[in-house]
Amino acid sequence: MTDTGFRDSIPRHLIYALGTDPQNATLGDWRIALSLAVRDRLVDAWLASARAARQAGAKRVYYLSMEFLIGRLLEDAIINLRLEEEVRAALAALGLSADEVIADEPDAALGNGGLGRLAACFMESLATLGVPAFGYGIRYEHGLFRQSFVEGRQVEEPEDWLTQVHAWEFRRRDVRLRLCFGGEVVDEGGKPVWHGAEAVMAQAYDTPMIGWQGKWANALRLWSAEPLHGFDLDRFNRGDYAAAAEPEALARTISRVLYPDDTTERGKELRLKQEYFFTAASLQDILRRFEAEGGALADLPKKAAIQLNDTHPAIAGPELVRLLHDERGMALDQAIETARGCLSYTNHTLLPEALERWSEDLMTRLLPRHMQLIERIDAAHAAEKPDRKVALVQEGEVRMGELAFVMAHKVNGVSALHTGLMKQTVFEELHRLHPDRIVNETNGVTPRRWLFSANPRLSRLISGTIGEGWVCDLERLCELEPQLDDAAFLDAYAGAKRANKADLAGWLAAEHGVQIDPEALFDVQIKRIHEYKRQHLNILETIALWQEIKANPNAPWVPRVKIFAGKAAPGYVFAKEIIRLINDVAAVVNADLETNRFLKVVFLPNYNVSLAERLIPASDLSEQISTAGKEASGTGNMKFALNGAPTIGTLDGANVEIRDRVGEKNFFLFGMTTDEVVARRAVPDHARQAIAADKRLGGALKAVSQGVFSPRDRHCYRGFVGNLTGHDYFLVCSDFTAYWDAQRRVDAAFAEPAVWWPMAARNTARTGWFSSDRTIRGYMADIWGASSLDPA
Ligand code: 73E
């Protein structure tokens, strides 16, 4: 297609697809018209990919995930199709700014945090590597809630991305599958037959996931729950309108909202229904495809690698056994073996409250046949391993982690440290029984979105230095190494960062009315708010720093802006207290004329993928300060390092591997190790001891508890301080002094450009290993046995 062809296609879509007169078109109309024009450019490659996979009889990867945090799709597609220039020119000819049109797209926020974003990065890497794959999840009507602050407190509002035209998805009219819940299992001629009581339809919607240079595309297939039949016409005709619509409303509830819960599991019946709904629909779809392509059922593992993203789809074990044994007559033992050959399971957290358990009663009520099969699977496992003590059902609860483990041929952790801890803790016994089952696949992030697209200045510098090959071969960033002592390169590197920071400062002033000094150190902590992530450690250090500056305002302080963003689960009271405290501290500190040249605090509302893309390229310092042993991996840590923000962090999750690669001199390490954490907790009064030993910590806590930051309600943080001085399970107090010291090392390094910029640039040059392409290759080789249909 020629330039004019593309240019013309935008108004053509506006007029003929949207029925809108260009004279009246809003920015949103233009954005949708542009999306449709771009979409036209990828559909051929998408259909060709599916055709190639069918013709090759290729093994397909199926990634089952409750969450896909895909963010904006238009920019991704433009970048991967290499349409940047064409789009810019076409929009300019229409009198429009490409940046504004692209920024108009709402984020598809179908996830809570790292787990969902990882799934999105994996989809992009699978397409870039030309691996035939499907992502399977739920098409939530409401993604993660919108966050705002009222008097510093988090307020949640429903997110309604689907009220706008969603230009990227295709409703598959022919893919509508029936599923059941409840009812009973009846013996029919010696065969158990499940008669479900409630049926719903799973309607498929496909969104293309396009790889680098548009050579390959896979589908993200999201299921929407619909009623079996529309509304009840009889009732409607009798004037009973509400009752007529009831079945529809009930069915739709299943895909209505994403659970806004990161790492804490809420025993909600609806959640189990959601899990079964999308898992069962996906498995039916997988089997349908397998059967359409012909082949003996026992060969299913040769054609389908089904990855369970955490235990949320763990019901896939018994469901696949049911489909093979009950519905297709395969012997039970063989059905279990066949299912295990297909299934693999990723564990993302060891936090006890996040390990899913469902009551036997609920499971029996909702999925009676599955409850029976879980017991059969357990019995088969016991027969295979007579010395096993772990049962799948304990104290009236079904343990989903153990079920996923037993039904998977491989189980993986998401960083070296986390995988080691899995073996020593939650899966200790299962690991002893199946020593080859656990493998490690350290997480990664897609360089297309997190460097090439989010940070065009740095990308241009890198490409100008080593060529563009790094974009799909990120380890080539190490070719920058010889430049790291070159003054001209470092100047250009620093120049890119400074320009990104100036952009961010301009945006903060325009959008949030916050003035910050672009020369200051931008110290950034952006992630879900959780005690284990310890945003409160950061804010206590901020308070201590403020007090120190006040006591000594003429010292040569290194100006800092502390930037926070993140959402708290709506029911997580303590996390919401942390948010309020940070906002309260920001109000006091930012208004302090004595200190605010040196210190500002900003908490940006409604953290999402787009905000991360704006903040990370403009950051100087990456805060990764979780209590050791608690953050399974982290992926933000990788994005920051890649974009040249050194980490201040503990030996937790993938921080360990980042430090190994960037080198200890280029990483601000502090805090207790996993073992020290365990030992410290056993010390009675550890928090009080730590407070007594550090005047700064004592002073900061005192200011909070006395109401310095809450003048209208002086005592409101007493409970908060009480928690820290008493229980302090996450050891904020015990790690405070080490954190303070590490921050002062950061100050000293930042004050010396000759120290700082080589360090920042080394972070970029040495973190190419953290590409999700590398992670996906690891899964392909160690877990899936899948290969690439090389799109080159
Ligand atoms: O450390 C992160 C990890 O980088 C971990 O906390 C997160 O997964 C990321 C990707 O591997 C995670 N999310 C959840 N569990 N671990 C979770 C649990 C329940 C509901 C939703 C998400």
Side-chain angles (χ1 to χ4, degrees):
M1 237 186 263
T2 62
D3 273 358
T4 36
F6 184 72
R7 195 161 72 204
D8 293 347
S9 79
I10 302 171
R12 207 171 49 240
H13 280 294
L14 185 83
I15 297 165
Y16 298 106
L18 304 180
T20 300
D21 187 333
Q23 303 230 314
N24 303 326
T26 62
L27 194 63
D29 297 329
W30 283 115
R31 193 248 307 159
I32 292 159
L34 172 64
S35 302
L36 294 174
V38 171
R39 197 181 78 174
D40 285 353
R41 288 289 194 95
L42 61 79
V43 170
D44 285 329
W46 186 30
L47 300 183
S49 303
R51 211 178 304 125
R54 264 197 312 274
Q55 278 164 5
K59 182 166 189 174
R60 292 183 183 83
V61 171
Y62 296 109
Y63 199 80
L64 269 59
S65 178
M66 280 287 269
E67 306 189 5
F68 286 92
L69 196 44
I70 49 186
R72 287 180 181 147
L73 295 174
L74 175 57
E75 187 170 20
D76 243 19
I78 292 173
I79 293 276
N80 274 1
L81 293 169
R82 307 309 315 272
L83 285 174
E84 302 100 300
E85 290 313 314
E86 259 180 282
V87 165
R88 239 164 244 292
L91 291 179
L94 292 162
L96 294 161
S97 135
D99 292 341
E100 278 176 31
V101 175
I102 288 168
D104 180 69
E105 185 179 356
D107 271 45
L110 309 183
N112 276 292
L115 171 143
R117 183 55 232 176
L118 184 77
C121 284
F122 280 6
M123 290 310 294
E124 201 275 349
S125 280
L126 283 162
T128 289
L129 295 174
V131 180
F134 277 80
Y136 278 117
I138 298 178
R139 183 176 176 272
Y140 300 105
E141 233 169 275
H142 303 285
L144 189 57
F145 65 86
R146 257 207 317 270
Q147 178 200 53
S148 59
F149 301 132
V150 173
E151 293 181 353
R153 287 189 169 86
Q154 168 173 297
V155 174
E156 302 103 29
E157 279 160 315
E159 183 275 354
D160 49 8
W161 70 299
L162 276 180
T163 56
Q164 306 204 22
V165 178
H166 180 32
W168 297 99
E169 68 180 9
F170 293 84
R171 182 170 204 249
R172 297 299 187 197
R173 288 182 190 283
D174 54 329
V175 189
R176 225 174 108 79
L177 308 175
R178 187 174 179 276
L179 306 166
C180 288
F181 295 100
E184 53 183 357
V185 182
V186 181
D187 187 307
E188 291 181 9
K191 252 188 78 177
V193 178
W194 177 27
H195 295 278
E198 187 193 326
V200 291
M201 301 303 287
Q203 167 65 55
Y205 286 81
D206 287 354
T207 298
M209 299 275 115
I210 186 93
W212 177 237
Q213 295 181 328
K215 291 179 194 159
W216 188 273
N218 291 314
L220 171 58
R221 178 161 284 182
L222 300 179
W223 301 104
S224 182
E226 294 183 356
L228 222 48
H229 314 289
F231 62 97
D232 187 332
L233 189 60
D234 274 353
R235 280 179 156 170
F236 189 86
N237 286 339
R238 287 197 304 269
D240 198 352
Y241 305 126
E246 202 174 285
E248 171 155 18
L250 266 175
R252 290 199 191 280
T253 308
I254 295 177
S255 52
R256 182 97 64 206
V257 283
L258 165 81
Y259 272 86
D261 232 328
D262 191 42
T263 68
T264 52
E265 193 271 307
R266 305 214 254 166
K268 283 268 161 66
E269 176 169 330
L270 185 56
R271 169 113 180 166
L272 180 56
K273 270 190 163 177
Q274 288 187 328
E275 295 184 354
Y276 178 67
F277 166 75
F278 97 95
T279 305
S282 307
L283 290 177
Q284 259 192 60
D285 201 35
I286 292 167
L287 276 183
R288 221 174 46 105
R289 185 170 304 109
F290 176 79
E291 286 169 343
E293 291 181 5
L297 269 185
D299 286 339
L300 187 63
K302 293 190 188 144
K303 298 291 175 188
I306 305 171
Q307 188 68 36
L308 308 180
N309 198 24
D310 216 282
T311 53
H312 316 146
I315 197 70
E319 173 68 2
L320 189 49
V321 170
R322 191 185 71 80
L323 293 171
L324 296 172
H325 173 65
D326 290 9
E327 298 208 344
R328 287 168 179 76
M330 189 185 267
L332 184 69
D333 285 351
Q334 199 195 352
I336 294 175
E337 242 350 275
T338 306
R340 187 180 294 130
C342 299
L343 297 169
S344 43
Y345 152 56
T346 307
N347 173 280
H348 292 269
T349 179
L350 303 172
L351 295 187
E353 66 269 31
L355 299 176
E356 283 190 301
R357 286 165 199 189
W358 295 108
S359 86
E360 215 180 324
D361 288 349
L362 174 61
M363 190 66 91
T364 306
R365 196 153 31 86
L366 222 53
L367 301 168
R369 179 58 184 150
H370 297 75
M371 194 58 232
Q372 292 178 348
L373 287 169
I374 290 167
E375 274 153 12
R376 302 289 296 269
I377 291 166
D378 196 33
H381 186 239
E384 181 197 340
K385 303 282 177 190
D387 60 333
R388 80 95 164 86
K389 289 192 231 44
V390 186
L392 300 184
V393 184
Q394 288 175 35
E395 293 159 10
E397 287 182 325
V398 183
R399 323 263 296 206
M400 300 309 269
E402 283 81 354
L403 175 63
F405 192 112
V406 164
M407 283 308 300
H409 65 285
K410 290 286 173 196
V411 174
N412 77 286
V414 290
S415 75
L417 180 79
H418 164 67
T419 301
L421 290 172
M422 275 168 72
K423 293 179 182 172
Q424 290 164 21
T425 61
V426 281
F427 294 124
E428 188 194 17
E429 195 201 355
L430 286 169
H431 172 57
R432 186 174 51 72
L433 297 174
H434 306 278
D436 299 329
R437 197 162 293 182
I438 297 184
V439 294
N440 177 54
E441 303 299 343
T442 298
N443 285 164
V445 302
T446 165
R448 271 73 62 187
R449 183 174 283 235
W450 294 107
L451 187 51
F452 187 82
S453 163
N455 197 344
R457 292 191 180 94
L458 180 55
S459 297
R460 276 195 296 273
L461 174 63
I462 297 171
S463 296
T465 313
I466 62 170
E468 226 187 47
W470 61 271
V471 181
C472 56
D473 185 4
L474 199 64
E475 290 188 58
R476 286 182 60 183
L477 288 180
C478 69
E479 293 168 21
L480 293 171
E481 201 77 32
Q483 311 296 320
L484 298 179
D485 299 311
D486 179 77
F489 177 82
L490 290 174
D491 265 1
Y493 191 96
K497 181 67 83 182
R498 282 209 186 88
N500 291 343
K501 290 172 68 178
D503 279 358
L504 178 64
W507 178 82
L508 278 173
E511 294 291 315
H512 295 279
V514 184
Q515 305 295 330
I516 59 170
D517 170 9
E519 292 299 314
L521 186 160
F522 289 9
D523 170 341
V524 182
Q525 187 172 21
I526 48 176
K527 50 182 81 238
R528 286 299 289 255
I529 311 296
H530 203 293
E531 284 162 281
Y532 85 77
K533 297 179 188 277
R534 300 199 295 191
Q535 282 90 356
H536 44 343
L537 174 58
N538 188 345
I539 200 64
L540 285 174
E541 190 268 343
T542 308
I543 296 168
L545 180 60
W546 173 65
Q547 292 177 327
E548 195 113 331
I549 300 173
K550 267 184 108 53
N552 199 356
N554 297 319
W557 296 105
V558 176
R560 245 189 221 249
V561 185
K562 291 259 192 180
I563 299 174
F564 295 85
K567 296 176 184 177
Y572 189 172
V573 176
F574 198 88
K576 291 176 126 175
E577 281 289 289
I578 296 176
I579 293 180
R580 180 155 67 113
L581 176 61
I582 297 172
N583 279 322
D584 283 349
V585 171
V588 171
V589 168
N590 296 353
D592 188 336
L593 299 177
E594 220 175 5
T595 61
N596 68 11
R597 279 169 299 150
F598 298 122
L599 184 62
K600 283 258 168 95
V601 180
V602 181
F603 198 139
L604 289 165
N606 203 36
Y607 181 53
N608 59 14
V609 174
S610 309
L611 185 56
E613 290 174 286
R614 194 184 283 284
L615 292 173
I616 292 169
S619 299
D620 292 309
L621 184 67
S622 162
E623 295 270 358
Q624 309 300 336
I625 60 176
S626 50
T627 315
K630 293 292 177 193
E631 188 71 271
S633 163
T635 43
N637 47 4
M638 302 168 187
K639 296 165 194 168
F640 279 103
L642 213 43
N643 281 278
T647 305
I648 181 165
T650 48
L651 282 180
D652 202 13
N655 292 355
V656 177
E657 287 152 272
I658 292 176
R659 179 166 173 268
D660 285 347
R661 288 190 157 74
V662 301
E664 59 183 47
K665 287 199 274 197
N666 303 305
F667 186 109
F668 297 94
L669 179 69
F670 77 95
M672 288 175 279
T673 61
T674 329
D675 291 343
E676 288 165 353
V677 160
V678 174
R680 181 74 188 169
R681 266 199 205 112
V683 175
D685 243 16
H686 54 79
R688 266 179 243 283
Q689 280 179 24
I691 298 164
D694 191 323
K695 283 205 295 284
R696 294 188 184 97
L697 173 59
L701 285 168
K702 196 163 160 199
V704 175
S705 104
Q706 291 182 341
V708 171
F709 308 103
S710 49
R712 276 180 295 176
D713 183 2
R714 293 205 162 264
H715 301 312
C716 73
Y717 290 115
R718 284 226 170 136
F720 176 91
V721 173
N723 175 305
L724 287 185
T725 49
H727 182 51
D728 193 20
Y729 179 78
F730 295 98
L731 301 167
V732 167
C733 296
S734 298
D735 262 346
F736 180 90
T737 309
Y739 179 57
W740 170 275
D741 292 343
Q743 288 287 24
R744 304 295 71 80
R745 284 187 270 130
V746 171
D747 283 336
F750 192 74
E752 288 291 340
V755 173
W756 188 263
W757 295 113
M759 186 190 302
R762 281 199 167 84
N763 269 267
T764 301
R766 295 179 179 176
T767 45
W769 188 77
F770 295 96
S771 165
S772 45
D773 300 345
R774 183 268 312 151
T775 313
I776 288 297
R777 285 202 179 90
Y779 278 83
M780 287 166 68
D782 308 338
I783 302 177
W784 299 334
S787 33
S788 147
L789 293 189
D790 191 11

